[in-house]
Amino acid sequence: MSLETFWFILIGVLWTGYLVLEGFDFGVGMLLGILGHDSPATPNSPGEDAGTRKRVLLNAIGPFWDGNEVWLITAGGATFAAFPAWYASMFSGFYLAFLLLVVALILRNMGLDYRHKRSGATWQRRWDIIIITCSVLAPLLVGVALTNLVRGVPLDKAGDFTGTLLTLLNPWSLLGGLTIVALSLTHGCFFIALKTDGQIRHDARALGTKAGLVSAGLAVVLLAWVNVHTGTTWSWITAAVGAVALLGALAANLRGREGFAFSGTMLTIGLATATYFLALFPDVMPSTTNAAYSLTVTNASSSHLTLQIMTGAALVMTPIVIVYSAWSYWIFRKRITADTIGVKHDPLTPLAPSEPLAEAPH
């Protein structure tokens, strides 16, 4: 295997890690607007108010969401260093779309950081709207960008993008964006069902089944088109196994096997991303203007010496990142409930004499 192919595979792995890990916290962000409402008391539950349910949702992703974004930064950095021509054409051609993505991620992160700083209803409602909107917009834009890479974009002889923002908003790329949004919502539902307890856990399971059926319909159409458009034997195999994994996840969810359901959506998102990169190879950015203008793993890569140095660094740093991520998920593996997240305190109001000077939970 050439170093160029190795780095194409590694970038595909980084995008897979990003969509698998960030996918569920995007989904939880969307759930603020769906599950974040009052839950009436039932014979098996005392009922939960909207504020408590939202805090449970946000605390479920609290230890993970910022670490998950490292995968996106690493994927962008690896593309810049290993395939500078690809990076230049993609980031200049998709400039407005990526700018919107960066703004969405920044605003979402601000919401996750600042929402709990005040207890005022208006303050929190505004941050809720921002978190929900940006949790939908970010995966939508990522899906649009990745689908356009597989579909192809207008490139001239120098490899420069000659289209506009509207060129990127074609029906197939929008379908790709909606599919990523639906899969993220399903993934988020199964994560909440696995990570929490009480009525919100049962509500997440019920919603996960509905969202999963919508995801399955969208994913089947999208991945069939990708494979008919530019598929290979291996991309057909990964798409088929991904579809089976999603059906398995839905079956596990109906049986109350939440760990298997969450693992199933992890596998589905991972295999869907693998299908994209298998269908794309050996191109990295196909041209719809003239196939001879396409950027490939060969003509878009850095020098052999650069790739050798990067490979040495990757062999040292990649295991460290994986071990650290696995450790953080193991440490925060327990379920959380309204009883375990503590009492929220507005940091701008005076403390009662008996209250500790502790950071308020989300």
Side-chain angles (χ1 to χ4, degrees):
M1 180 191 299
S2 67
L3 283 179
E4 291 83 357
T5 302
F6 171 79
W7 273 97
F8 178 79
I9 294 173
L10 187 55
I11 288 172
V13 170
L14 291 170
W15 275 106
T16 301
Y18 175 67
L19 290 172
V20 166
L21 296 178
E22 185 93 303
F24 74 76
D25 70 56
F26 282 147
V28 174
M30 299 178 212
L31 290 176
L32 274 186
I34 305 173
L35 299 183
H37 54 73
D38 292 334
S39 170
T42 66
N44 299 321
S45 170
E48 297 164 342
D49 66 88
T52 301
R53 285 167 68 98
K54 288 178 180 177
R55 292 177 59 212
V56 169
L57 290 170
L58 293 174
N59 274 270
I61 60 171
F64 310 121
W65 64 266
D66 47 357
N68 293 341
E69 293 186 350
V70 171
W71 291 79
L72 176 64
I73 297 169
T74 308
T79 306
F80 169 74
F83 298 100
W86 182 16
Y87 181 91
S89 296
M90 182 168 62
F91 278 78
S92 60
F94 297 179
Y95 178 77
L96 288 177
F98 283 151
L99 178 63
L100 286 173
L101 174 62
V102 170
V103 171
L105 291 176
I106 290 173
L107 290 176
R108 181 175 179 273
N109 294 353
M110 290 175 64
L112 294 171
D113 270 335
Y114 289 114
R115 180 190 184 278
H116 70 286
K117 299 296 185 184
R118 298 297 311 274
S119 57
T122 302
W123 170 271
Q124 295 193 348
R125 184 172 61 254
R126 288 174 178 171
W127 283 121
D128 288 347
I129 292 171
I130 290 173
I131 293 171
I132 295 166
T133 303
C134 294
S135 295
V136 174
L137 188 59
L140 179 71
L141 290 168
V142 170
V144 166
L146 291 179
T147 306
N148 271 305
L149 284 183
V150 177
R151 176 181 175 272
V153 292
L155 298 177
D156 62 18
K157 191 175 181 178
D160 294 329
F161 179 75
T162 57
T164 65
L165 179 63
L166 293 179
T167 307
L168 303 178
L169 301 179
N170 55 78
W172 288 114
S173 68
L174 291 173
L175 174 63
L178 291 175
T179 304
I180 297 295
V181 170
L183 283 172
S184 297
L185 179 61
T186 307
H187 203 31
C189 287
F190 292 164
F191 177 77
I192 290 300
L194 177 65
K195 193 77 174 89
T196 66
D197 207 348
Q199 186 59 40
I200 196 169
R201 173 186 176 188
H202 299 288
D203 291 346
R205 279 179 51 193
L207 180 62
T209 299
K210 298 174 185 174
L213 291 173
V214 174
S215 302
L218 292 172
V220 166
V221 175
L222 176 67
L223 295 181
W225 167 78
V226 167
N227 282 305
V228 169
H229 178 64
T230 179
T232 64
T233 301
W234 282 108
S235 67
W236 276 106
I237 292 174
T238 53
V241 177
V244 172
L246 184 54
L247 294 177
L250 291 173
N253 183 56
L254 290 174
R255 289 175 173 269
R257 304 299 297 271
E258 292 146 351
F260 285 109
F262 183 65
S263 299
T265 48
M266 285 181 67
L267 192 58
T268 300
I269 295 173
L271 289 171
T273 311
T275 300
Y276 265 46
F277 277 82
L278 286 168
L280 185 60
F281 185 82
D283 290 335
V284 294
M285 201 163 178
S287 171
T288 56
T289 307
N290 187 328
Y293 300 161
S294 298
L295 298 177
T296 69
V297 293
T298 303
N299 66 21
S301 70
S302 291
S303 68
H304 189 70
L305 177 60
T306 301
L307 295 179
Q308 282 182 315
I309 295 171
M310 290 177 60
T311 302
L315 290 176
V316 174
M317 297 305 298
T318 304
I320 294 174
V321 172
I322 292 174
V323 169
Y324 171 76
S325 298
W327 174 79
S328 65
Y329 278 89
W330 174 255
I331 291 295
F332 297 102
R333 66 188 181 280
K334 292 184 178 178
R335 291 182 186 271
I336 63 172
T337 66
D339 296 329
T340 61
I341 58 176
V343 178
K344 188 176 183 303
H345 178 80
D346 188 334
L348 298 187
T349 59
L351 288 171
S354 59
E355 288 183 281
L357 285 169
E359 175 72 12
H362 290 197

